[in-house]
């Protein structure tokens, strides 16, 4: 009796993966394709500030996976497609996506939530937030955290900017609600607390979102986490 081999379906974009091993580490001052939308002088200024921020984290060069992702985002790839990154722990995946996102958002003119990173656990979220917080302020971006570490009221005060109201003046509550704005450009969150904010936090919106990162994807997709993904 002939035994048929079980075939595993492969998505078209998985058939020709980019091999990270083909890339070498790249010194920070040699990273190619710094934001082409910026003038030469601003590029030089941004590069200096970025290198200072990364030096504080102990980085002197980008790792191969970081160089590969940079090519697909800031380089020739220009963020034209979604990316699935598979690389061992400690190879630098967090900075691989944090760096191009921060660079892309560095020219934003209005503060609103444009990048969301979802992780399965609070500890992982805290680690990722530290990476973003080390480089984002260098280009004027702010990073928020929603993991249930503090009360939801405290998180709301950190994530949502409320308009300043003058004493002695009556305001329409609906008008005040419309003026609520995001205090952060980038949010790192766990699925459960993210759902809490989506469902109940006034002024919290994902309508301006440009970048979504699902970190530790295999773990996140194994559990429902309040149906965060369909939502």
């Amino acid at each position: 009796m002939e035994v048929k081999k079980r075939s595993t379906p492969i998505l078209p974009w998985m058939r020709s993966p980019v091999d990270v091993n083909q890339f070498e580490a790249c010194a920070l001052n040699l990273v190619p394709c710094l934001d082409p939308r910026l003038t030469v002088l601003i590029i030089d200024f941004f590069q200096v500030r970025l290198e200072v921020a990364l030096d504080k984290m102990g980085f002197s060069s980008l790792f191969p996976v970081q160089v590969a992702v940079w090519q697909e985002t800031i380089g020739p790839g220009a963020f034209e497609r979604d990316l699935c990154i598979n690389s061992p722990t400690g190879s630098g995946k967090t900075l691989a996506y944090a760096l191009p996102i921060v660079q892309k958002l560095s020219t934003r003119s209005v503060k609103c939530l444009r990048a969301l990173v979802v992780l399965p656990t609070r500890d992982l979220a805290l680690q990722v937030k530290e990476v973003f917080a080390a480089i984002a302020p260098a280009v004027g971006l702010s990073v928020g955290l929603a993991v249930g570490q503090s009360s939801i009221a405290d998180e709301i005060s950190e994530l949502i900017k409320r308009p300043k109201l003058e004493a002695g003046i009556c305001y329409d509550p609906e008008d005040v609600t419309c003026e609520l704005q995001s205090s952060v450009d980038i949010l790192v969150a766990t699925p459960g607390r993210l759902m809490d904010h989506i469902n109940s936090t006034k002024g919290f919106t994902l309508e301006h979102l440009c970048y979504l990162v699902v970190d530790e994807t295999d773990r996140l997709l194994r559990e429902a986490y309040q149906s965060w993904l369909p939502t």
Side-chain angles (χ1 to χ4, degrees):
M1 180 178 178
E2 184 179 352
V3 179
K4 293 184 178 180
K5 292 183 178 180
R6 184 177 178 180
S7 60
T8 303
I10 298 178
L11 296 173
W13 57 268
M14 295 176 65
R15 292 173 182 156
S16 302
V18 175
D19 187 357
V20 174
N21 293 324
Q22 296 177 356
F23 293 82
E24 296 181 353
C26 181
L28 288 178
N29 60 345
L30 298 177
V31 175
C33 300
L34 284 173
D35 200 333
R37 298 170 299 177
L38 305 177
T39 64
V40 175
L41 290 178
I42 296 178
I43 287 177
D44 291 342
F45 173 71
F46 172 70
Q47 184 178 3
V48 169
R49 295 185 67 183
L50 186 58
E51 286 181 359
V52 169
L54 290 174
D55 284 342
K56 289 181 180 178
M57 296 177 62
F59 289 99
S60 58
S61 62
L62 296 187
F63 298 160
V65 66
Q66 295 160 357
V67 175
V69 176
W70 185 266
Q71 293 279 19
E72 293 290 338
T73 53
I74 306 301
F79 264 121
E80 291 181 351
R81 60 172 179 165
D82 294 329
L83 301 178
C84 179
I85 305 169
N86 180 20
S87 189
T89 300
S91 60
K93 291 191 295 293
T94 302
L95 191 65
Y97 62 74
L99 190 56
I101 287 176
V102 167
Q103 163 112 356
K104 279 291 189 181
L105 297 184
S106 65
T107 57
R108 66 104 176 95
S109 56
V110 178
K111 184 181 288 294
C112 57
L113 181 55
R114 299 186 192 274
L116 171 65
V117 184
V118 185
L119 297 107
T121 68
R122 181 185 302 177
D123 289 342
L124 287 172
L126 288 169
Q127 293 173 22
V128 169
K129 199 260 185 178
E130 288 180 359
V131 173
F132 272 101
I135 59 176
V139 291
L141 299 175
S142 55
V143 185
L145 184 68
V147 297
Q149 186 179 30
S150 56
S151 69
I152 192 166
D154 289 339
E155 280 189 359
I156 292 174
S157 66
E158 294 291 329
L159 300 180
I160 304 298
K161 180 170 60 178
R162 298 181 177 276
K164 294 182 179 180
L165 305 180
E166 296 183 15
I169 300 179
C170 294
Y171 293 89
D172 186 333
E174 292 186 1
D175 291 340
V176 173
T177 301
C178 291
E179 294 180 11
L180 297 177
Q181 297 177 338
S182 174
S183 295
V184 300
D185 303 284
I186 302 164
L187 177 64
V188 180
T190 50
R193 186 44 69 97
L194 174 63
M195 289 298 298
D196 290 340
H197 287 295
I198 289 175
N199 292 327
S200 61
T201 299
K202 293 181 179 180
F204 184 86
T205 176
L206 301 180
E207 65 177 329
H208 304 294
L209 201 68
C210 299
Y211 306 107
L212 169 65
V213 178
V214 182
D215 205 335
E216 300 286 341
T217 313
D218 51 346
R219 294 176 61 178
L220 280 169
L221 296 183
R222 279 200 299 265
E223 300 185 34
Y225 292 107
Q226 302 178 40
S227 300
W228 74 275
L229 187 57
T231 300

